[in-house]
Structure formats: structure tokens, C-alpha cells
Amino acid sequence: MWVEIFKRYFAVLLMGVVIKLLDDEVDQDEALRGLPESQLLRDLQRFKLPYSLFFLALAMVLDTNYSFGLFSSAYILGMFHIPQQRLPLKLKSYQETLVVVALNLILIPFGVFFQSFFIVTILQLIDDILDEEYDSTYGYFNFVKRYGRMEVTLVIAILTVASFMISWVNTLVILPTGIFINYLYSWW
Amino acid sequence: MFKFYGYIIIICLFNMLLGYSVGRRIGNKEGFEKGMSEVPLSLKLEYYQTSQCPVCSKEHGKGKTN
């Protein structure tokens, strides 16, 4: 039991790093913020594709279901606000979302998929609440600006209760890890 | 037992969410109407106090040639 929890924790940690790097790459944050000062971080920025692929492979070995569920949930949520846009694979964004959801429902258990989707949504909404000013300055999509702060807080509460109902151990493993990754990233 | 309480909490929170979101939409609409009905009054008040046109900020009587 403890070995499983440790493996899941480590897999979620690696997956969080991968998702953060992917988010940066898609948002083109580098162009806005510029390169970091230290040489080590600059090298890390240059070689982030091999590192993130390696982290992804390692996380998949450690915990297949949750890694896949978390990664595809982040993928779905990332293109949530552009449903009509054509993506490079000649599919519209909502069609690709449907394909990914169908793959999830076929490949991994229902509970795992729904729980990871809920948790990724919770983390995204918390991040939106904290980053409201930054996002509205730079013109990123933000749930708080569109739907209001109280609504977002209530949705966070609902999703937290739902994910506790699905499995409370996994919620207690994954949710603090995600918040920790967010904290680590903002500090870095 | 945990699941039972969970459903009850979720239903309560969902009702609150419904109330807040409907209220925000109604309130936005009402506030917009209120503001629109107050704009002419406040413009007129500003004009009477400063005798300056609120649109082109020209002072009263300055533009006439005679």
C-alpha cells in the first residue's frame, strides 16, 4: 500500500512538471518574460523537450492510469476556451476533445478519468483565482474574469467534494502535489 | 455514508452556484440600466456647474465670434 502511494506520488510530481513545461511552450511565455538569467536554467529551457519526454515515460511506468488521465485532462482543459479553432491535425478543437475523452473512457477506468479531470480543473481554477491580474494584463483566458469569483469558488468546492467521493486517498495524494508544483513553479 | 453526505453537500453547493450565477446576470443588466438612466443627469449637472461642454470640453460662450 505504501509503495503504491509513493509510486503514485512520484508519478504525479513528474507529470506536474511535464504539464507545466507544456503549458509554457503552448502559451509562448518565453517571448513575454524573456530568458532566465542563470546559465543552468537557460540550458534547461533549451533542452526541455527531451527532459519532459523522459519524465513522461518514467511517470507512465510508475502509474499508468493516473498519468494518462492527468495528462489528457490537462490537454482537454488547455483547449477548452477555443472550441471552434482548427488544430494542426485538421480537426476542430471540440472534435479533438471528444476523441481524447473517448480514448480515456476506453483505455482507463471511469473513476480514474473523472477524478483526474476534476483535480486538474480544480488546480486550473485555483491558479486562475491567484493569477487574475496577471492574466487580464497580458490578455490570457481566465475563468474568474468570465464567470465571476464566487462562482469559481463554488465550482472548486463542488469538484473537491466529488473527487473525495470517488477516492479520498488518491485525492489526498494528488491535490497537494499539484498545489506544491504550482507553488514551486511560481517561486522558480 | 460518506457518499450520502457527499451528494447532499453537492446538491446544496450546486443550488448556491445557481443562485449566484443567475443573480450576477440579473444584477449586471439592472446596473447597466441604472447607469444609463443616470448618465444624462450627471452630464447636465457637470455642465451647469462648470459651464463646459462635456462632449467637446468647450466653455460656454467662448466659441461665438460676436
mmCIF file of all heavy atoms in Angstrom, chain A residues 16-51:
data_model
loop_
_atom_site.group_PDB
_atom_site.id
_atom_site.type_symbol
_atom_site.label_atom_id
_atom_site.label_comp_id
_atom_site.label_asym_id
_atom_site.label_seq_id
_atom_site.Cartn_x
_atom_site.Cartn_y
_atom_site.Cartn_z
ATOM 1 N N GLY A 16 3.239 16.644 -13.164
ATOM 2 C CA GLY A 16 3.001 18.067 -12.958
ATOM 3 C C GLY A 16 4.076 18.906 -13.618
ATOM 4 O O GLY A 16 3.776 19.917 -14.266
ATOM 5 N N VAL A 17 5.337 18.470 -13.502
ATOM 6 C CA VAL A 17 6.425 19.212 -14.142
ATOM 7 C C VAL A 17 6.233 19.223 -15.652
ATOM 8 O O VAL A 17 6.365 20.269 -16.316
ATOM 9 C CB VAL A 17 7.781 18.584 -13.756
ATOM 10 C CG1 VAL A 17 8.893 19.250 -14.524
ATOM 11 C CG2 VAL A 17 8.027 18.722 -12.291
ATOM 12 N N VAL A 18 5.877 18.045 -16.214
ATOM 13 C CA VAL A 18 5.694 17.946 -17.666
ATOM 14 C C VAL A 18 4.576 18.881 -18.118
ATOM 15 O O VAL A 18 4.711 19.617 -19.109
ATOM 16 C CB VAL A 18 5.384 16.487 -18.071
ATOM 17 C CG1 VAL A 18 4.963 16.419 -19.511
ATOM 18 C CG2 VAL A 18 6.571 15.622 -17.834
ATOM 19 N N ILE A 19 3.452 18.880 -17.373
ATOM 20 C CA ILE A 19 2.308 19.704 -17.790
ATOM 21 C C ILE A 19 2.666 21.187 -17.709
ATOM 22 O O ILE A 19 2.295 21.976 -18.579
ATOM 23 C CB ILE A 19 1.082 19.366 -16.929
ATOM 24 C CG1 ILE A 19 0.573 17.972 -17.289
ATOM 25 C CG2 ILE A 19 -0.025 20.363 -17.142
ATOM 26 C CD1 ILE A 19 -0.484 17.458 -16.382
ATOM 27 N N LYS A 20 3.418 21.574 -16.673
ATOM 28 C CA LYS A 20 3.821 22.978 -16.562
ATOM 29 C C LYS A 20 4.697 23.390 -17.729
ATOM 30 O O LYS A 20 4.532 24.471 -18.307
ATOM 31 C CB LYS A 20 4.572 23.195 -15.247
ATOM 32 C CG LYS A 20 3.655 23.497 -14.096
ATOM 33 C CD LYS A 20 3.029 24.848 -14.320
ATOM 34 C CE LYS A 20 2.121 25.217 -13.190
ATOM 35 N NZ LYS A 20 1.292 26.372 -13.507
ATOM 36 N N LEU A 21 5.681 22.523 -18.103
ATOM 37 C CA LEU A 21 6.558 22.845 -19.232
ATOM 38 C C LEU A 21 5.755 22.949 -20.522
ATOM 39 O O LEU A 21 5.970 23.859 -21.339
ATOM 40 C CB LEU A 21 7.642 21.778 -19.380
ATOM 41 C CG LEU A 21 8.722 21.779 -18.296
ATOM 42 C CD1 LEU A 21 9.640 20.600 -18.468
ATOM 43 C CD2 LEU A 21 9.512 23.054 -18.369
ATOM 44 N N LEU A 22 4.784 22.035 -20.695
ATOM 45 C CA LEU A 22 3.941 22.052 -21.899
ATOM 46 C C LEU A 22 3.120 23.333 -21.961
ATOM 47 O O LEU A 22 3.005 23.965 -23.017
ATOM 48 C CB LEU A 22 3.019 20.835 -21.855
ATOM 49 C CG LEU A 22 2.027 20.708 -23.003
ATOM 50 C CD1 LEU A 22 2.754 20.247 -24.228
ATOM 51 C CD2 LEU A 22 0.944 19.731 -22.655
ATOM 52 N N ASP A 23 2.596 23.741 -20.808
ATOM 53 C CA ASP A 23 1.786 24.948 -20.733
ATOM 54 C C ASP A 23 2.602 26.163 -21.155
ATOM 55 O O ASP A 23 2.149 27.009 -21.929
ATOM 56 C CB ASP A 23 1.292 25.097 -19.292
ATOM 57 C CG ASP A 23 0.229 26.146 -19.162
ATOM 58 O OD1 ASP A 23 -0.598 26.225 -20.078
ATOM 59 O OD2 ASP A 23 0.237 26.876 -18.173
ATOM 60 N N ASP A 24 3.846 26.236 -20.668
ATOM 61 C CA ASP A 24 4.747 27.324 -21.054
ATOM 62 C C ASP A 24 4.985 27.332 -22.543
ATOM 63 O O ASP A 24 4.969 28.386 -23.186
ATOM 64 C CB ASP A 24 6.094 27.126 -20.366
ATOM 65 C CG ASP A 24 6.195 27.977 -19.146
ATOM 66 O OD1 ASP A 24 5.134 28.424 -18.686
ATOM 67 O OD2 ASP A 24 7.314 28.189 -18.667
ATOM 68 N N GLU A 25 5.212 26.136 -23.093
ATOM 69 C CA GLU A 25 5.538 26.043 -24.514
ATOM 70 C C GLU A 25 4.352 26.508 -25.364
ATOM 71 O O GLU A 25 4.526 27.219 -26.349
ATOM 72 C CB GLU A 25 5.888 24.585 -24.825
ATOM 73 C CG GLU A 25 6.494 24.348 -26.163
ATOM 74 C CD GLU A 25 7.813 25.054 -26.337
ATOM 75 O OE1 GLU A 25 8.579 25.105 -25.358
ATOM 76 O OE2 GLU A 25 8.065 25.559 -27.431
ATOM 77 N N VAL A 26 3.129 26.117 -24.955
ATOM 78 C CA VAL A 26 1.964 26.474 -25.752
ATOM 79 C C VAL A 26 1.656 27.962 -25.628
ATOM 80 O O VAL A 26 1.322 28.618 -26.606
ATOM 81 C CB VAL A 26 0.751 25.613 -25.312
ATOM 82 C CG1 VAL A 26 -0.511 26.090 -25.970
ATOM 83 C CG2 VAL A 26 0.998 24.171 -25.647
ATOM 84 N N ASP A 27 1.807 28.493 -24.406
ATOM 85 C CA ASP A 27 1.490 29.911 -24.194
ATOM 86 C C ASP A 27 2.551 30.841 -24.736
ATOM 87 O O ASP A 27 2.331 32.047 -24.781
ATOM 88 C CB ASP A 27 1.353 30.193 -22.687
ATOM 89 C CG ASP A 27 -0.005 29.817 -22.180
ATOM 90 O OD1 ASP A 27 -0.846 29.482 -23.016
ATOM 91 O OD2 ASP A 27 -0.220 29.871 -20.964
ATOM 92 N N GLN A 28 3.715 30.318 -25.122
ATOM 93 C CA GLN A 28 4.835 31.143 -25.578
ATOM 94 C C GLN A 28 5.213 32.164 -24.513
ATOM 95 O O GLN A 28 5.370 33.347 -24.772
ATOM 96 C CB GLN A 28 4.486 31.883 -26.882
ATOM 97 C CG GLN A 28 4.161 30.972 -28.028
ATOM 98 C CD GLN A 28 5.410 30.418 -28.676
ATOM 99 O OE1 GLN A 28 6.465 30.978 -28.546
ATOM 100 N NE2 GLN A 28 5.286 29.303 -29.345
ATOM 101 N N ASP A 29 5.339 31.689 -23.270
ATOM 102 C CA ASP A 29 5.688 32.594 -22.182
ATOM 103 C C ASP A 29 7.101 33.150 -22.336
ATOM 104 O O ASP A 29 7.389 34.237 -21.874
ATOM 105 C CB ASP A 29 5.605 31.839 -20.844
ATOM 106 C CG ASP A 29 4.394 32.257 -20.076
ATOM 107 O OD1 ASP A 29 3.600 33.019 -20.642
ATOM 108 O OD2 ASP A 29 4.250 31.833 -18.924
ATOM 109 N N GLU A 30 7.953 32.383 -23.014
ATOM 110 C CA GLU A 30 9.343 32.792 -23.142
ATOM 111 C C GLU A 30 9.460 34.130 -23.853
ATOM 112 O O GLU A 30 10.266 34.985 -23.478
ATOM 113 C CB GLU A 30 10.066 31.716 -23.941
ATOM 114 C CG GLU A 30 11.508 31.550 -23.605
ATOM 115 C CD GLU A 30 12.056 30.344 -24.323
ATOM 116 O OE1 GLU A 30 11.844 29.216 -23.855
ATOM 117 O OE2 GLU A 30 12.671 30.536 -25.364
ATOM 118 N N ALA A 31 8.603 34.314 -24.870
ATOM 119 C CA ALA A 31 8.666 35.553 -25.631
ATOM 120 C C ALA A 31 8.274 36.750 -24.764
ATOM 121 O O ALA A 31 8.781 37.850 -24.967
ATOM 122 C CB ALA A 31 7.740 35.455 -26.842
ATOM 123 N N LEU A 32 7.377 36.523 -23.801
ATOM 124 C CA LEU A 32 6.949 37.628 -22.949
ATOM 125 C C LEU A 32 7.951 37.904 -21.837
ATOM 126 O O LEU A 32 8.351 39.039 -21.611
ATOM 127 C CB LEU A 32 5.590 37.297 -22.318
ATOM 128 C CG LEU A 32 4.370 37.569 -23.157
ATOM 129 C CD1 LEU A 32 3.132 37.159 -22.395
ATOM 130 C CD2 LEU A 32 4.291 39.045 -23.465
ATOM 131 N N ARG A 33 8.358 36.828 -21.148
ATOM 132 C CA ARG A 33 9.179 37.029 -19.956
ATOM 133 C C ARG A 33 10.655 37.153 -20.270
ATOM 134 O O ARG A 33 11.428 37.646 -19.465
ATOM 135 C CB ARG A 33 8.997 35.829 -19.011
ATOM 136 C CG ARG A 33 7.675 35.828 -18.327
ATOM 137 C CD ARG A 33 7.691 34.735 -17.282
ATOM 138 N NE ARG A 33 6.336 34.377 -16.877
ATOM 139 C CZ ARG A 33 6.072 33.299 -16.173
ATOM 140 N NH1 ARG A 33 7.023 32.489 -15.827
ATOM 141 N NH2 ARG A 33 4.835 33.028 -15.827
ATOM 142 N N GLY A 34 11.073 36.655 -21.459
ATOM 143 C CA GLY A 34 12.493 36.647 -21.757
ATOM 144 C C GLY A 34 13.166 35.437 -21.135
ATOM 145 O O GLY A 34 12.563 34.696 -20.363
ATOM 146 N N LEU A 35 14.442 35.226 -21.502
ATOM 147 C CA LEU A 35 15.162 34.066 -20.978
ATOM 148 C C LEU A 35 15.582 34.316 -19.532
ATOM 149 O O LEU A 35 15.825 35.462 -19.146
ATOM 150 C CB LEU A 35 16.406 33.811 -21.835
ATOM 151 C CG LEU A 35 16.138 33.171 -23.196
ATOM 152 C CD1 LEU A 35 17.407 33.168 -24.029
ATOM 153 C CD2 LEU A 35 15.644 31.756 -23.026
ATOM 154 N N PRO A 36 15.678 33.255 -18.708
ATOM 155 C CA PRO A 36 16.146 33.438 -17.331
ATOM 156 C C PRO A 36 17.623 33.804 -17.290
ATOM 157 O O PRO A 36 18.370 33.575 -18.243
ATOM 158 C CB PRO A 36 15.891 32.077 -16.694
ATOM 159 C CG PRO A 36 15.794 31.136 -17.816
ATOM 160 C CD PRO A 36 15.251 31.881 -18.970
ATOM 161 N N GLU A 37 18.065 34.365 -16.146
ATOM 162 C CA GLU A 37 19.434 34.901 -16.063
ATOM 163 C C GLU A 37 20.469 33.795 -15.940
ATOM 164 O O GLU A 37 21.532 33.857 -16.548
ATOM 165 C CB GLU A 37 19.571 35.847 -14.868
ATOM 166 C CG GLU A 37 18.741 37.114 -14.977
ATOM 167 C CD GLU A 37 17.387 36.942 -14.348
ATOM 168 O OE1 GLU A 37 17.239 36.056 -13.486
ATOM 169 O OE2 GLU A 37 16.466 37.689 -14.726
ATOM 170 N N SER A 38 20.164 32.766 -15.098
ATOM 171 C CA SER A 38 21.225 31.800 -14.792
ATOM 172 C C SER A 38 21.434 30.838 -15.956
ATOM 173 O O SER A 38 20.505 30.490 -16.695
ATOM 174 C CB SER A 38 20.872 31.037 -13.522
ATOM 175 O OG SER A 38 20.371 29.771 -13.845
ATOM 176 N N GLN A 39 22.685 30.423 -16.125
ATOM 177 C CA GLN A 39 23.055 29.567 -17.253
ATOM 178 C C GLN A 39 22.380 28.207 -17.164
ATOM 179 O O GLN A 39 21.950 27.644 -18.166
ATOM 180 C CB GLN A 39 24.577 29.397 -17.254
ATOM 181 C CG GLN A 39 25.134 28.724 -18.501
ATOM 182 C CD GLN A 39 24.868 29.525 -19.759
ATOM 183 O OE1 GLN A 39 24.951 30.745 -19.737
ATOM 184 N NE2 GLN A 39 24.524 28.850 -20.832
ATOM 185 N N LEU A 40 22.258 27.696 -15.919
ATOM 186 C CA LEU A 40 21.644 26.379 -15.723
ATOM 187 C C LEU A 40 20.198 26.385 -16.204
ATOM 188 O O LEU A 40 19.764 25.508 -16.958
ATOM 189 C CB LEU A 40 21.710 26.023 -14.237
ATOM 190 C CG LEU A 40 21.089 24.687 -13.846
ATOM 191 C CD1 LEU A 40 21.940 23.557 -14.383
ATOM 192 C CD2 LEU A 40 20.954 24.580 -12.352
ATOM 193 N N LEU A 41 19.432 27.419 -15.805
ATOM 194 C CA LEU A 41 18.027 27.481 -16.200
ATOM 195 C C LEU A 41 17.905 27.680 -17.708
ATOM 196 O O LEU A 41 16.997 27.159 -18.343
ATOM 197 C CB LEU A 41 17.336 28.628 -15.472
ATOM 198 C CG LEU A 41 17.096 28.418 -13.985
ATOM 199 C CD1 LEU A 41 16.308 29.568 -13.423
ATOM 200 C CD2 LEU A 41 16.340 27.135 -13.759
ATOM 201 N N ARG A 42 18.869 28.414 -18.300
ATOM 202 C CA ARG A 42 18.820 28.624 -19.739
ATOM 203 C C ARG A 42 19.034 27.307 -20.493
ATOM 204 O O ARG A 42 18.323 27.011 -21.461
ATOM 205 C CB ARG A 42 19.908 29.621 -20.121
ATOM 206 C CG ARG A 42 19.367 30.752 -20.949
ATOM 207 C CD ARG A 42 20.462 31.682 -21.304
ATOM 208 N NE ARG A 42 20.402 32.878 -20.482
ATOM 209 C CZ ARG A 42 21.083 33.968 -20.767
ATOM 210 N NH1 ARG A 42 21.881 33.995 -21.817
ATOM 211 N NH2 ARG A 42 20.965 35.031 -20.015
ATOM 212 N N ASP A 43 19.994 26.501 -20.020
ATOM 213 C CA ASP A 43 20.204 25.180 -20.631
ATOM 214 C C ASP A 43 18.962 24.313 -20.482
ATOM 215 O O ASP A 43 18.564 23.606 -21.402
ATOM 216 C CB ASP A 43 21.394 24.475 -19.982
ATOM 217 C CG ASP A 43 22.701 25.027 -20.513
ATOM 218 O OD1 ASP A 43 22.647 25.789 -21.499
ATOM 219 O OD2 ASP A 43 23.752 24.714 -19.937
ATOM 220 N N LEU A 44 18.340 24.411 -19.300
ATOM 221 C CA LEU A 44 17.136 23.627 -19.048
ATOM 222 C C LEU A 44 16.024 24.033 -20.004
ATOM 223 O O LEU A 44 15.278 23.190 -20.506
ATOM 224 C CB LEU A 44 16.691 23.847 -17.603
ATOM 225 C CG LEU A 44 16.123 22.643 -16.889
ATOM 226 C CD1 LEU A 44 17.185 21.586 -16.772
ATOM 227 C CD2 LEU A 44 15.651 23.040 -15.513
ATOM 228 N N GLN A 45 15.915 25.343 -20.270
ATOM 229 C CA GLN A 45 14.906 25.824 -21.219
ATOM 230 C C GLN A 45 15.172 25.256 -22.615
ATOM 231 O O GLN A 45 14.255 24.864 -23.315
ATOM 232 C CB GLN A 45 14.951 27.354 -21.305
ATOM 233 C CG GLN A 45 14.385 28.063 -20.114
ATOM 234 C CD GLN A 45 12.899 28.261 -20.234
ATOM 235 O OE1 GLN A 45 12.262 27.643 -21.060
ATOM 236 N NE2 GLN A 45 12.351 29.102 -19.394
ATOM 237 N N ARG A 46 16.458 25.197 -23.000
ATOM 238 C CA ARG A 46 16.771 24.745 -24.356
ATOM 239 C C ARG A 46 16.469 23.265 -24.524
ATOM 240 O O ARG A 46 15.992 22.846 -25.574
ATOM 241 C CB ARG A 46 18.241 25.004 -24.673
ATOM 242 C CG ARG A 46 18.474 26.378 -25.262
ATOM 243 C CD ARG A 46 19.920 26.532 -25.680
ATOM 244 N NE ARG A 46 20.318 25.552 -26.677
ATOM 245 C CZ ARG A 46 21.566 25.121 -26.812
ATOM 246 N NH1 ARG A 46 22.511 25.546 -26.005
ATOM 247 N NH2 ARG A 46 21.867 24.261 -27.758
ATOM 248 N N PHE A 47 16.776 22.456 -23.498
ATOM 249 C CA PHE A 47 16.617 21.013 -23.650
ATOM 250 C C PHE A 47 15.390 20.513 -22.907
ATOM 251 O O PHE A 47 15.419 19.435 -22.328
ATOM 252 C CB PHE A 47 17.868 20.289 -23.155
ATOM 253 C CG PHE A 47 19.097 20.679 -23.902
ATOM 254 C CD1 PHE A 47 20.103 21.387 -23.300
ATOM 255 C CD2 PHE A 47 19.232 20.349 -25.241
ATOM 256 C CE1 PHE A 47 21.232 21.761 -24.003
ATOM 257 C CE2 PHE A 47 20.358 20.724 -25.945
ATOM 258 C CZ PHE A 47 21.353 21.432 -25.328
ATOM 259 N N LYS A 48 14.312 21.282 -22.912
ATOM 260 C CA LYS A 48 13.186 20.835 -22.096
ATOM 261 C C LYS A 48 12.374 19.748 -22.783
ATOM 262 O O LYS A 48 11.693 18.994 -22.102
ATOM 263 C CB LYS A 48 12.319 22.007 -21.683
ATOM 264 C CG LYS A 48 11.483 22.643 -22.714
ATOM 265 C CD LYS A 48 10.706 23.749 -22.041
ATOM 266 C CE LYS A 48 10.305 24.783 -23.045
ATOM 267 N NZ LYS A 48 9.763 25.965 -22.438
ATOM 268 N N LEU A 49 12.453 19.614 -24.111
ATOM 269 C CA LEU A 49 11.702 18.543 -24.769
ATOM 270 C C LEU A 49 12.202 17.155 -24.371
ATOM 271 O O LEU A 49 11.396 16.328 -23.931
ATOM 272 C CB LEU A 49 11.739 18.746 -26.284
ATOM 273 C CG LEU A 49 10.944 17.703 -27.049
ATOM 274 C CD1 LEU A 49 9.475 17.788 -26.690
ATOM 275 C CD2 LEU A 49 11.100 17.873 -28.537
ATOM 276 N N PRO A 50 13.516 16.856 -24.489
ATOM 277 C CA PRO A 50 13.948 15.515 -24.047
ATOM 278 C C PRO A 50 13.680 15.239 -22.582
ATOM 279 O O PRO A 50 13.253 14.127 -22.235
ATOM 280 C CB PRO A 50 15.450 15.510 -24.342
ATOM 281 C CG PRO A 50 15.816 16.861 -24.718
ATOM 282 C CD PRO A 50 14.612 17.579 -25.154
ATOM 283 N N TYR A 51 13.898 16.256 -21.737
ATOM 284 C CA TYR A 51 13.638 16.035 -20.312
ATOM 285 C C TYR A 51 12.173 15.715 -20.066
ATOM 286 O O TYR A 51 11.841 14.796 -19.317
ATOM 287 C CB TYR A 51 14.031 17.262 -19.490
ATOM 288 C CG TYR A 51 15.475 17.287 -19.124
ATOM 289 C CD1 TYR A 51 16.281 18.332 -19.512
ATOM 290 C CD2 TYR A 51 16.032 16.250 -18.400
ATOM 291 C CE1 TYR A 51 17.621 18.360 -19.190
ATOM 292 C CE2 TYR A 51 17.365 16.262 -18.075
ATOM 293 C CZ TYR A 51 18.156 17.318 -18.471
ATOM 294 O OH TYR A 51 19.457 17.325 -18.154
#
